[in-house]
Amino acid sequence: VWRSMGDFDVVVVGSSNIDLVSYTPKFPAPGETIMGGDFAQGFGGKGANQAVLIGKLGGKVAMVSKVGQDSFGADFKRNYQAVGVDSRYVGDAEPGVATGTAAILVDSSGENCIVVCPGANMKMVPEDVDAAAALMEKAKVVVMQNEIPLNVTQRALEVAKKAGACTIWNIAPCPAEAKDYPAEMFQLTDVLCVNESEAQSMGGVDGLLAKGVGVCLITLGKDGCKVVTKDGQQHLSGVEVPASKVVDTTGAGDAFTGAFALFKGKGLDDGAAAEAACKIAALTVQKKGTQSSYPTHAEAVEAGSWPSGA
């Protein structure tokens, strides 16, 4: 269903996490206190990353999420507004529930270990989606991930599909039980976006298509992606980024999903949208940080990474 100009390219229903990153020479042993190096705080969460990528690229995007009534939650709302994400449906959890956080330790070799405390994200309820239904009915594309309660994602799929939007479900993280998720969720999914190991853990691409998924978009990291339907598959090679230029791959997967959603909303077909999304993701690995590495529309155009027709 093609929508009029005044509406949203994409609505994202998903998570908002604050990333708290400590750089340390080595990981501490249990009971040990060590002196670290730099500390960085950033905005993260798969849902937030995808929405912010779209906002920075100049897309019309809205976020449906939940944060705590704390300083992180207030910061989050300000950040959404600063990058052009409509945040009227970023709600507050009840008092005492914290904004989601990810405490990240990075050692001198670049290895990391992460503790995610989902906080307000897991306090989302299907009624939060219902409240934003009028917004979603104006969207060309609705995107979900897997960092909020499953019944909220299911409601988002139902509302979006009923409204005639293109539904994109990025099942990440992908727990072992994902293969047993309700069959109707897969049937409501126009594009399922996962990596190779995630696809295998859910019974492989053929199994996912048999469950009723319209298109399987399989990400292959630096090797690009595959667009697979029951009629066949198309392999789109990635962009060759020299190893010396790769600075930080964090958030590249979310950049890919967000860009794909935006370009679908702009009317590109699956193959063209996926190819363009690979180019955007390649730009992000050449800068440090997650959302801070995401390009603006002008930067994407300057790099030759903006698709014609979008």
Side-chain angles (χ1 to χ4, degrees), residues 63 75 78 90 107-108 113-114 119 122 226 254 268 279:
M63 184 74 189
D75 289 345
R78 277 195 294 272
V90 177
D107 75 5
S108 55
C113 57
I114 303 174
M122 294 310 281
K226 284 190 295 196
D254 292 329
L268 271 60
K279 291 181 180 175

Side-chain angles (χ1 to χ4, degrees), residues 24-259:
T24 173
K26 65 179 184 97
F27 297 135
E32 182 185 17
T33 300
I34 61 174
M35 293 297 284
D38 290 341
F39 172 80
Q41 179 180 320
F43 298 98
K46 289 183 177 299
N49 290 344
Q50 292 169 19
V52 166
L53 180 280
I54 294 165
K56 288 182 79 169
L57 285 177
K60 291 180 180 173
V61 59
M63 184 74 189
V64 180
S65 190
K66 196 166 262 188
V67 295
Q69 295 185 42
D70 49 23
S71 58
F72 287 154
D75 289 345
F76 235 111
K77 290 180 182 180
R78 277 195 294 272
N79 184 59
Y80 280 136
Q81 285 158 356
V83 295
V85 176
D86 184 307
S87 59
R88 75 185 96 164
Y89 290 104
V90 177
D92 292 328
E94 59 267 28
V97 176
T99 298
T101 57
I104 305 169
L105 291 181
V106 182
D107 75 5
S108 55
S109 73
E111 202 50 61
N112 66 26
C113 57
I114 303 174
V115 178
V116 175
C117 297
N121 293 304
M122 294 310 281
K123 298 294 183 185
M124 287 186 76
V125 289
E127 290 73 18
D128 294 326
V129 174
D130 295 340
L135 187 84
M136 293 166 69
E137 283 159 9
K138 295 178 178 175
K140 298 177 193 128
V141 178
V142 177
V143 189
M144 293 116 311
Q145 312 77 32
N146 204 23
E147 291 186 326
I148 61 175
L150 194 67
N151 64 344
V152 180
T153 300
Q154 182 164 355
R155 183 66 62 86
L157 283 164
E158 290 164 357
V159 170
K161 193 73 174 169
K162 187 177 171 192
C166 170
T167 55
I168 299 175
W169 189 14
N170 172 212
I171 306 187
C174 185
E177 62 269 21
K179 66 180 186 301
D180 300 318
Y181 282 170
E184 56 267 30
M185 292 185 72
F186 294 99
Q187 291 158 12
L188 292 165
T189 301
D190 290 320
V191 181
L192 186 80
C193 182
V194 288
N195 64 30
E196 276 189 301
S197 64
E198 289 163 348
Q200 284 311 118
S201 74
M202 290 187 288
V205 174
D206 291 342
L208 289 165
L209 292 171
K211 286 183 179 185
V213 169
V215 177
C216 280
L217 184 60
I218 310 297
T219 57
L220 307 169
K222 65 182 187 311
D223 296 322
C225 64
K226 284 190 295 196
V227 178
V228 191
T229 67
K230 57 182 185 304
D231 299 323
Q233 63 169 280
Q234 188 182 5
H235 179 238
L236 299 153
S237 53
V239 179
E240 193 60 49
V241 180
S244 60
K245 283 195 159 182
V246 176
V247 178
D248 186 350
T249 60
T250 315
D254 292 329
F256 173 86
T257 305

